[in-house]
Amino acid sequence: MTPDINPLLDCAVAAARKAGDHALANRDRRREANSVSPHDIKLKLDVECQAIAEGVIRNTFPDHAILGEEDPRTGTAAETPKFDPDTVRWVIDPIDGTVNFAHGLPRWCCSIGVLQGERPVAGAIYAPVLGKLYTATHESDAMCNGEPIHVSDTATLKQSIVMTGVDRHRDGSVPPLAVFTALADTVQRPRIMGVAALDMCYVAEGGGDGYIETGIFLWDIAAATLIVEQAGGKTEILKHEPGHRLQCLASNGHIHAELKDVVLRALGHA
Ligand code: IPD
């Protein structure tokens, strides 16, 4: 059964705002870490913000499933389970762009996606320093701060800005900047800005034309894929890997096939 969508969106917005505002209010604690690895950092505030978002969701929907980046059980699963098409699942990234946040850069956000089965049905992405709240449901337009947004009409890859990341492939088979290097030869400008959810929101509002990461996680993109689609764009999961890891491509639709071709060649698949 399809759930009533507006209460889901309202709750996603409330959770994203409360978690994001907590991170913002505690910016002076941004370097307090639970663990630091060569290319990542796990912050105490990540865990606090996730608990805050979960609290908001559980108050309204105590029976719904929640998948959070900072849940100690998350990411350890050898296989990502398939969900019943009626199951409602909340997918939380409490601070996307954690490294940006820890260094005091303004580009970070809280992302809350609501999935029914495998399908995103509502999402909210809140970037407190930028003062932006992106929202969408599967029944309505994508919005930024309550105003409808739309993807660009850029027609070719060579006129495009495409955002990506530094993708560390688990098996080491592809160099971390293989896709970036291929894009640098093809697009007007590639960008690495360090926040997947916001990269995709830029595609949704037409500031960028495409986004590709080949080592990203469900919590980074759950809300953002819906926002791109409802803004008139196209998203595609090129590959599912264990532990909620994905290869995700998003675009304004016009450059999709061309972008996919460049990515697959860079990965050695074409
Ligand atoms: C990261 C950011 C980054 C992307 C990484 C993600 P996190 O998420 O979205 O842009 O390149 O792949 O893991 O760890 O800051 O939530």
Side-chain angles (χ1 to χ4, degrees):
M1 205 179 86
T2 306
D4 192 1
I5 204 67
N6 289 331
L8 293 174
L9 180 63
D10 291 347
C11 184
V13 168
R17 278 199 184 280
K18 195 166 179 187
D21 285 339
H22 179 76
L24 183 67
N26 287 277
R27 267 190 296 182
D28 56 332
R29 295 175 47 223
R30 65 181 184 270
R31 287 184 185 272
E32 287 178 13
N34 284 330
S35 68
V36 181
S37 58
H39 303 291
D40 205 4
I41 185 164
K42 292 287 178 194
L43 301 179
K44 290 192 165 65
L45 278 170
D46 265 319
V47 178
E48 289 174 23
C49 290
Q50 180 166 309
I52 287 168
E54 282 191 27
V56 173
I57 295 161
R58 290 208 192 286
N59 261 341
T60 318
F61 299 105
D63 300 330
H64 287 181
I66 296 179
L67 173 74
E69 179 180 12
E70 304 307 325
D71 185 324
R73 291 161 300 179
T74 298
T76 56
E79 294 299 332
T80 305
K82 285 270 173 216
F83 282 85
D84 179 274
D86 280 341
T87 303
V88 175
R89 215 168 19 134
W90 293 75
V91 183
I92 305 172
D93 190 342
I95 303 178
D96 187 28
T98 312
V99 175
N100 283 358
F101 175 81
H103 285 261
L105 291 173
R107 287 179 198 276
W108 55 273
C109 62
C110 177
S111 172
I112 313 273
V114 190
L115 272 56
Q116 190 182 14
E118 309 294 327
R119 181 174 72 122
V121 292
I125 293 175
Y126 175 47
V129 182
L130 306 180
K132 292 204 166 186
L133 173 70
Y134 298 90
T135 54
T137 76
H138 69 119
E139 295 172 355
S140 58
D141 289 344
M143 307 266 194
C144 178
N145 295 346
E147 296 292 326
I149 52 175
H150 206 270
V151 293
S152 70
D153 56 10
T154 306
T156 66
L157 211 46
K158 69 174 188 231
Q159 300 167 306
S160 298
I161 280 190
V162 176
M163 287 155 286
T164 187
V166 182
D167 296 340
R168 291 188 174 76
H169 288 252
R170 283 178 169 161
D171 61 4
S173 59
V174 182
L177 287 178
V179 169
F180 184 91
T181 305
L183 291 173
D185 286 339
T186 320
V187 304
Q188 189 173 51
R189 281 281 196 279
R191 293 280 183 258
I192 295 181
M193 302 204 283
V195 202
L198 284 183
D199 288 353
M200 294 175 76
C201 288
Y202 297 145
V203 174
E205 67 185 358
D209 308 296
Y211 159 84
I212 169 69
E213 274 194 82
T214 59
I216 197 74
F217 291 89
L218 181 60
W219 41 86
D220 297 305
I221 58 107
T225 49
L226 183 67
I227 291 168
V228 171
E229 296 269 350
Q230 296 306 110
K234 182 170 175 178
T235 66
E236 187 173 356
I237 303 302
L238 300 179
K239 190 175 177 190
H240 290 267
E241 292 178 18
H244 310 286
R245 198 174 142 105
L246 307 160
Q247 296 186 356
C248 179
L249 192 155
S251 78
N252 65 3
H254 310 295
I255 63 163
H256 201 90
E258 222 188 332
L259 178 56
K260 183 174 173 180
D261 186 55
V262 169
V263 171
L264 292 181
R265 282 177 197 279
L267 297 175
H269 297 329

